[in-house]
Amino acid sequence: MATLLYIITEGIQGGPFELTEGTHILGSAEGSTIPIADSTISAQHGQFTITDGQIVYQDLGSQNGSFVEQQPVTSVTLVAGHIVQVGNIHVQLVDDPNVVETMKRETAVIQTGPKAIQPGDFGGSEEVKSPFQVKKSGWVKIYIIAITVIGVLAVAALILLLFFPQMLSPSS
């Protein structure tokens, strides 16, 4: 059974593409075996080569690169389930078309850009306490004052020792 390639990035149309024996060019140029119309995809971005059931993906010197498991790749052997990122587009290999609907439910569709924060994204409207808020305590002020007084006395004693050593020597 042939392996299928599905685009799983939200809002991008195309596929599924059947990966049969031979070479399949993924790119934005017309005539690509796997055409993906997106500005982050090079004209000839990469190629899938299928030989004896083994799938090898090779980046063809694309502008925005190719990634598998968030690692940049130039050539990699793939199996069903792998997700390949080409530019900003994510595609996934599937070997059983009967599980496509399950895959769509279980695999989060990847968005192409950041989502704007919506009201309610972080819960209700009640005020959330930040862990970085300053704790108000009267003891902190007392400690700061005490440390400052001790520091001033230590500096004064040091100045006396350095500049007025005769004051510390016994008078005769």
Side-chain angles (χ1 to χ4, degrees):
M1 172 175 279
T3 299
L4 299 173
L5 186 68
Y6 283 87
I7 297 173
I8 60 172
T9 300
E10 183 177 40
I12 304 299
Q13 300 300 317
F17 304 99
E18 187 174 357
L19 299 178
T20 56
E21 291 283 320
T23 300
H24 305 273
I25 303 293
L26 181 147
S28 59
E30 287 186 37
S32 296
T33 315
I34 305 168
I36 301 178
D38 185 78
S39 63
T40 64
I41 303 291
S42 297
Q44 291 191 341
H45 199 97
Q47 72 181 19
F48 291 90
T49 304
I50 293 79
T51 309
D52 296 328
Q54 184 179 24
I55 304 168
V56 175
Y57 175 80
Q58 181 179 2
D59 186 272
L60 299 175
S62 65
Q63 183 73 28
N64 293 316
S66 299
F67 302 83
V68 174
E69 296 180 11
Q70 300 177 346
Q71 297 298 316
V73 295
T74 53
S75 182
V76 63
T77 301
L78 302 171
V79 295
H82 270 136
I83 295 175
V84 180
Q85 178 183 347
V86 288
N88 287 340
I89 308 301
H90 294 77
V91 296
Q92 184 169 23
L93 297 166
V94 178
D95 60 359
D96 182 0
N98 296 323
V99 298
V100 172
E101 289 305 315
T102 304
M103 177 201 67
K104 286 181 180 177
R105 286 192 297 271
E106 292 176 357
T107 304
V109 174
I110 300 169
Q111 297 180 352
T112 57
K115 174 185 166 248
I117 296 173
Q118 301 295 321
D121 278 355
F122 301 107
S125 61
E126 33 327 306
E127 185 178 326
V128 178
K129 289 191 175 190
S130 169
F132 301 106
Q133 289 178 337
V134 176
K135 293 182 179 180
K136 296 178 182 176
S137 170
W139 288 105
V140 173
K141 290 179 184 177
I142 293 172
Y143 288 132
I144 291 173
I145 291 170
I147 289 171
T148 303
V149 169
I150 291 170
V152 168
L153 289 175
V155 168
L158 186 61
I159 290 173
L160 283 174
L161 283 173
L162 293 174
F163 295 108
F164 304 102
Q166 66 278 9
M167 292 179 73
L168 298 174
S169 62
S171 325
S172 311

